[in-house]
Structure formats: C-alpha cells, structure tokens
Amino acid sequence: MTYLLGFTFILLALGSCRGLQENDVAEEPELVFQASKYGSLWPLPQKVEISEASFKLSSSSFRITDAKESGAGSSCSLLQLAYRRYYEYIFGDVKKQKVNKSWKAGLTDLLELQVWITSSDSECDSYPTASSDESYELLVDQPVAVLKAPKVWGALHGLETFSQLVYEDEYGAKTINATVISDFPRFAHRGVLLDTSRHFLSIKVILANLETMAMNKFNVFHWHIVDDPSFPYLSRTFPQLSQKGAYHPYTHVYTPADVKMVIEFARLRGIRVVPEFDTPGHTQSWGKGQLDLLTPCYTGSKPSGTFGPVNPILNSTYDFMTQFFKEISDVFPDAYVHLGGDEVDFTCWKSNPDIQKFMEQQGFGQDYRKLESFYIQKLLDIVAATNKGYMIWQEVFDNGVKLKPETVVNVWIGSGTNTEMSNVTAAGYTTILSAPWYLDYISYGQDWQKYYKVEPLNFNAETRHTNPRLERKPGEIPD
C-alpha cells in the first residue's frame, strides 16, 4: 500500500484508502462560486445562525476566561494553553503590538469569551479516545460570548470555530457577528495518515501537520511510522532496528523524547496518535536490524540472498513480537494500534522449503492465505494481551482471520469499496474508509472537488451501522 499523506472516515465500520478510480465520481456541471453566508467556518457546524449585528474585539480588552460554573478551572493547562494559542491566532503576536492605554470599551465591543465545561469531569488530564464527547455550543453576544461543552475536546473545537468567526472590517478592526452555533462531529474518527518511512518527516513538520489538523477539526493522527524503506522508530528494547534500518541512525530517527513530544502536542489539540507497525509484509527495514525475522527466499534449492515477509514458522518471531508490542503498548497511550496486514507477497514463502514443509504439517495445502492468517492470529493474540485494541487493513478480514468484536477494519482498496463496506459492517465491525482519499495522486487541473463529493455512507443501508467515524490519509480527508 502506498502512502504519503492522507485522510480517513471511520463508520462503525470506515478507514485508510487507495486512490479514487476515474469512474467513481460522475462528471457534473461546472460549479458556480459565490461568497458563503457562513463566512470562513470550516468545517461547517451542524447548526449555525449568524446575524448582521456585529461587535468589535480589541487586544487591549478582550479575554478568554473560565466561566465560574466550569468544571475546569485555571489548573487545566490544556485549556489555559488553548486560550493563549487562540488569542494569538485572533490578534497575532501581541508582544509586538503597541498597547493603547487610553482605549475605552465601547457599547458594541465584545469583551470576553467564557468557556464553560458543563461536566464535573472535564477530562483535562486525559487522552482523547474514540468515544470522546466533542460537542459544543457557542453563543456570541455582547458584551460576553459563552462557549459550553461537556468536555475539553468540544471546547477546543469551539475555540477554533470562534477564531474562524473573527474577521477584519474595512478599517482593519477585529469584528465578529452575533452568532449561535450547536455542533458535533458527523464522524467520530477524522484522521490524517502520514508515512514517515518512505519520506522521513522532521518533528517540526509533523507538529505543523498536527496544528493544521486541529484547525480543520481532525482528531486522529495515523502515524504510519515504519515500512519497507526505513525504520525510523527508535526502540528502547530493540535499538538495532533503527540503527540499521533507518535512513540514518541519528538524524532520521524518532527518539523516545520525539514520540512523547508528538503525543503530548497532539493531546493538547484533541488529537489521538495511532501508530501503525505493519506486518508480515512491508517489513524489509525490520530485517536489517533483527536477524532471522524475515523469511529467506530460495531460487531452486539454494537461498537467493533476498528476504520476504516475516517468517511465520519460527517461535523466535513471536518472542520478538511479544517484546516489541509490549513496548509499543507502553509508549503509545491510545487504546488502539494499527497492525497493517496488507499486500503480503507469497512468492518468497512459496520458494522456501521449510515453509513448504510447515504448510504440509499444518494441512494448509497450497493456500498461503491460511499461513498468513496463522501469523496474523498469533499477532492479534499478542497485542490483545497488552490490553490494546487493534486496527487492521481489509485483507485480514477478507482472509477470514478470527477477529475480536471491537476490531477496526481499514478499507483502502479502491475497487469494490461499497461491497467491502457492506460486508465489514454486516459482520459487526467498526470500519475506517480511506479508499477515496489518497492525496499523493497527482492530477492536472482542479482535482480537489472529487474528494468532497464522496459520501462515505453510500453503501447497502441494511447493513450499515449508525455510529460513523472518519479518517484521512496523505492519502486520507475530514468532514
């Protein structure tokens, strides 16, 4: 599976995706462009009422504060940092601005945005989850605007919406219209996938992507951190993996401190970090630092000197995976880890005499999908023992591997997507749809429109679940 950057939808059954086929979106008449009555709101909230009455905001007087009734106060660093961040989004770097000490508030000035967390448990010190409450209500009136949300995650989205409502009038004064908004996400999983194996990305670039995701209310960073080309994750348990598998053992790796920084930066913006460690295929970089992990390929009766997927017949393979995923479960706090399982090339397995003998002993015949399922099942048991849930690419489901009911199936193959979605959701699995949103496909002209014409629920309604979620890759997109 080729990745670059992406978006994704989770339906109680949606995920990561391949490119959109040419005939997936019908040709439509040329669009007529006109100014939106909702201004710069993005994505559009569920309910919006904007009046013509307007108020002015001044950096000298406007403040973002905690409401007296709020379940989160000054001790909630997540919100306090967000207040400062959004104040600067609205007014710029106030330190560089001259303060007008003689300024006095006018009758049409908005002086304050009060943030009211309505629940006694604000989840301020927690990590966002797949079931986090991200709803909020925003009332902009003079002299005080009020943002109400059950949890801090909704408050973060409300702050983003408030900042988008602010504009400059013809004199350059910060202005906002009287507004009433009630909002919640259509999809609980709205993700972006970044591939840092094929293209190493600096921490600075990753953080910039997270900042931009928050501005668009994405809430899942699907970190496709390793793959065939390189292994930039610096493992404490197996440091030789990145020492020998990364593009460079010092400059092109993610240290434990780097990973911790990314996770916390994301948390402060309401974003989950879901790592992907794809096996048994896509593992060439793993084999450089872990001897005997990959299957030796044969030409006739002799080893060819090349290696294929993870060797599924050795006990040492599962000993390694047990230790490795124990570390991953400790490093990444999210409830899920993505285990891949896609695009396994059976050629090398078929050439190996030891694999052939094992196949015969297990009664698999010549069906190497059964061997793949044998490996995947053992891996799923290993990960389940760490109390983590798992996401997998659709091939694992298609091959009949026994899955836990809470498994998330990632649909990425462009052809037959609707049928696949129907099958996966009918089986009761939560699904992430990624297939229509691979952003690494380069086209001429304006190709962005097709990404927004996709309706992720456009499959057999009789088997569809009603609690949808979303994710996108660079290759995935938001709602």
Side-chain angles (χ1 to χ4, degrees), residues 6 28 67 103 154 170 179 186 198 226 239 344-345 353 355 390 397 418 439 463:
E28 294 189 8
W103 178 90
E170 61 269 32
T179 304
R186 182 186 180 199
R198 292 176 175 85
V226 301
V344 181
D345 187 346
I355 297 286
Y390 45 76
F397 168 82
N418 289 345
L439 304 184
T463 61

Side-chain angles (χ1 to χ4, degrees), residues 329-342:
S329 69
D330 292 337
V331 170
F332 292 90
D334 197 81
Y336 285 86
V337 59
H338 202 303
L339 300 177
D342 64 308

Side-chain angles (χ1 to χ4, degrees), residues 233 275 277 323-332 337 388:
Y233 173 75
F277 292 90
Q323 295 181 65
F324 181 76
F325 280 101
K326 173 62 170 66
E327 174 185 328
I328 298 306
S329 69
D330 292 337
V331 170
F332 292 90
V337 59
K388 288 284 189 186

Side-chain angles (χ1 to χ4, degrees), residues 282-355:
H282 293 279
T283 49
Q284 289 300 298
S285 65
W286 300 52
K288 296 176 182 178
Q290 186 66 20
L291 296 179
D292 299 325
L293 180 63
L294 304 185
T295 303
C297 305
Y298 277 69
T299 301
S301 60
K302 296 182 180 180
S304 65
T306 61
F307 295 88
V310 165
N311 193 331
I313 70 172
L314 300 180
N315 290 333
S316 59
T317 293
Y318 303 104
D319 292 339
F320 165 82
M321 293 297 175
T322 298
Q323 295 181 65
F324 181 76
F325 280 101
K326 173 62 170 66
E327 174 185 328
I328 298 306
S329 69
D330 292 337
V331 170
F332 292 90
D334 197 81
Y336 285 86
V337 59
H338 202 303
L339 300 177
D342 64 308
E343 296 183 319
V344 181
D345 187 346
F346 298 149
T347 305
C348 185
W349 281 353
K350 291 178 179 178
S351 74
N352 186 290
D354 293 327
I355 297 286

Side-chain angles (χ1 to χ4, degrees), residues 139-437:
L139 173 63
V140 178
D141 204 351
Q142 195 272 344
V144 176
V146 178
L147 168 59
K148 295 172 64 175
K151 306 293 182 181
V152 294
W153 319 118
L156 290 173
H157 296 322
L159 288 166
E160 176 59 40
T161 296
F162 181 87
S163 72
Q164 293 176 3
L165 288 169
V166 178
Y167 61 95
E168 291 186 352
D169 67 12
E170 61 269 32
Y171 304 106
K174 300 292 184 182
T175 308
I176 190 169
N177 287 61
T179 304
V180 178
I181 288 177
S182 177
D183 196 18
F184 57 89
R186 182 186 180 199
F187 295 96
H189 177 124
R190 308 174 304 282
V192 173
L193 180 153
L194 289 175
D195 182 336
T196 58
S197 172
R198 292 176 175 85
H199 306 275
F200 180 83
L201 300 175
S202 68
I203 291 297
K204 181 178 180 181
V205 170
I206 292 175
L207 298 185
N209 272 274
L210 290 170
E211 193 76 79
T212 306
M213 286 173 61
M215 292 177 179
N216 291 275
K217 300 187 175 76
F218 284 99
N219 68 346
V220 180
F221 171 33
H222 179 161
W223 196 350
H224 189 85
I225 193 168
V226 301
D227 206 292
D228 281 329
S230 73
F231 196 105
Y233 173 75
L234 201 166
S235 167
R236 283 194 175 102
T237 310
F238 301 100
Q240 71 277 10
L241 290 171
S242 60
Q243 187 71 26
K244 296 184 178 180
Y247 286 133
H248 190 284
Y250 304 115
T251 62
H252 285 56
V253 295
Y254 301 113
T255 67
D258 291 334
V259 173
K260 186 176 182 180
M261 180 190 302
V262 168
I263 292 171
E264 180 61 11
F265 190 93
R267 186 189 78 87
L268 292 174
R269 287 153 181 80
I271 298 172
R272 299 164 54 202
V273 178
V274 177
E276 181 184 350
F277 292 90
D278 191 356
T279 67
H282 293 279
T283 49
Q284 289 300 298
S285 65
W286 300 52
K288 296 176 182 178
Q290 186 66 20
L291 296 179
D292 299 325
L293 180 63
L294 304 185
T295 303
C297 305
Y298 277 69
T299 301
S301 60
K302 296 182 180 180
S304 65
T306 61
F307 295 88
V310 165
N311 193 331
I313 70 172
L314 300 180
N315 290 333
S316 59
T317 293
Y318 303 104
D319 292 339
F320 165 82
M321 293 297 175
T322 298
Q323 295 181 65
F324 181 76
F325 280 101
K326 173 62 170 66
E327 174 185 328
I328 298 306
S329 69
D330 292 337
V331 170
F332 292 90
D334 197 81
Y336 285 86
V337 59
H338 202 303
L339 300 177
D342 64 308
E343 296 183 319
V344 181
D345 187 346
F346 298 149
T347 305
C348 185
W349 281 353
K350 291 178 179 178
S351 74
N352 186 290
D354 293 327
I355 297 286
Q356 294 170 8
K357 183 178 180 180
F358 183 84
M359 292 280 289
E360 183 180 349
Q361 292 173 345
Q362 295 294 321
F364 293 163
Q366 295 299 309
D367 189 352
Y368 284 85
R369 291 179 302 174
K370 292 182 178 180
L371 180 60
E372 179 187 6
S373 296
F374 174 86
Y375 166 81
I376 292 290
Q377 189 63 66
K378 282 184 169 292
L379 180 64
L380 297 185
D381 292 342
I382 287 171
V383 173
T386 68
N387 294 319
K388 288 284 189 186
Y390 45 76
M391 301 179 182
I392 44 89
W393 296 115
Q394 67 183 77
E395 290 95 321
V396 178
F397 168 82
D398 294 341
N399 290 342
V401 175
K402 183 180 179 181
L403 303 172
K404 292 194 301 181
E406 60 270 27
T407 298
V408 177
V409 180
N410 216 159
V411 174
W412 68 273
I413 297 176
S415 60
T417 299
N418 289 345
T419 299
E420 184 75 10
M421 291 297 299
S422 295
N423 292 339
V424 176
T425 55
Y429 296 113
T430 296
T431 308
I432 302 176
L433 176 64
S434 305
W437 298 290

